[in-house]
Amino acid sequence: MLRAALSLALLLLLPGLAEAAPGTGPRARETVFVGDYEPGTIVVMTGARQLFLVTDRNSALQYDIAVGKPSEQWFGTSWVSKKRLNPTWVPTDSMRKAKPSLPASVGPGPKNPLGQRAMNLGWGTYRIHGTNSPNSIGSAASAGCFRMRNADVVDLFERVHVGAQVVVLQ
């Protein structure tokens, strides 16, 4: 908890060192990051709506994300178990129960809620993925997954390997 608080405090005090130009490119910011994480680890700070890819002992790439609705949030440690290009979205049983009108699946394209890339976490149904609703970034809107702008998830996807540790903090 102290590690997360220190990291967050430094991030708020030190603005990004290198931010992408406005537009459709990735918006990752290189930032100071203090924590005892190996390079390649993904750290999600749910309360800050930020995802960090640790790049070395004292720095990380910072991305804006959407997180799960309060009733859908989870915390702990997982790993990237699978990477998918242009994924097909299949609603979970609980999603279909809550909204029976959902389609059986949505293939790749602009209507796909998973966007252009998806990284499955552990053995469950949670993912880090793109979105067809970029205005949701910065909010608590998902069913427990972490949404990113499509340009950002494409950037992260290329940098992360299957097996990478994912730490989700409050």
Side-chain angles (χ1 to χ4, degrees), residues 26 28 40 53 55 61 63 83 154-161:
L53 175 62
T55 54
L61 292 175
Y63 301 88
K83 293 171 57 173
V154 168
D155 182 67
L156 181 67
F157 188 93
E158 295 302 321
R159 297 173 187 271
V160 171
H161 66 277

Side-chain angles (χ1 to χ4, degrees), residues 28-68:
R29 295 174 297 281
E30 186 178 332
T31 190
V32 173
F33 188 87
V34 178
D36 190 21
Y37 301 106
E38 293 290 320
T41 301
I42 295 170
V43 179
V44 175
M45 292 187 180
T46 306
R49 313 288 201 270
Q50 300 286 312
L51 180 149
F52 300 89
L53 175 62
V54 178
T55 54
D56 65 38
R57 184 177 167 103
N58 295 310
S59 64
L61 292 175
Q62 176 184 358
Y63 301 88
D64 298 327
I65 60 170
V67 300

Side-chain angles (χ1 to χ4, degrees), residues 6-163:
L6 287 172
S7 296
L8 184 56
L10 276 173
L11 293 170
L12 294 174
L13 293 172
L14 298 170
L17 302 173
E19 189 168 345
T24 58
R27 298 181 188 191
R29 295 174 297 281
E30 186 178 332
T31 190
V32 173
F33 188 87
V34 178
D36 190 21
Y37 301 106
E38 293 290 320
T41 301
I42 295 170
V43 179
V44 175
M45 292 187 180
T46 306
R49 313 288 201 270
Q50 300 286 312
L51 180 149
F52 300 89
L53 175 62
V54 178
T55 54
D56 65 38
R57 184 177 167 103
N58 295 310
S59 64
L61 292 175
Q62 176 184 358
Y63 301 88
D64 298 327
I65 60 170
V67 300
K69 297 171 192 164
S71 62
E72 305 282 345
Q73 291 182 6
W74 61 278
F75 309 98
T77 303
S78 190
W79 73 97
V80 174
S81 56
K82 186 176 184 178
K83 293 171 57 173
R84 298 184 298 147
L85 293 165
N86 301 313
T88 295
W89 177 67
V90 178
T92 64
D93 290 340
S94 61
M95 289 175 180
R96 295 189 65 64
K97 186 176 181 181
K99 191 172 180 183
S101 63
L102 287 173
S105 66
V106 177
K111 294 184 179 182
N112 187 319
L114 296 181
Q116 297 174 354
R117 304 285 185 274
M119 292 165 271
N120 292 32
L121 302 179
W123 302 116
T125 58
Y126 297 118
R127 302 173 192 91
I128 297 168
H129 62 79
T131 184
N132 64 350
S133 182
N135 58 343
S136 69
I137 302 303
S139 70
S142 78
C145 292
F146 305 108
R147 294 180 189 170
M148 302 178 75
R149 290 178 186 91
N150 281 316
D152 289 347
V153 79
V154 168
D155 182 67
L156 181 67
F157 188 93
E158 295 302 321
R159 297 173 187 271
V160 171
H161 66 277
V162 170

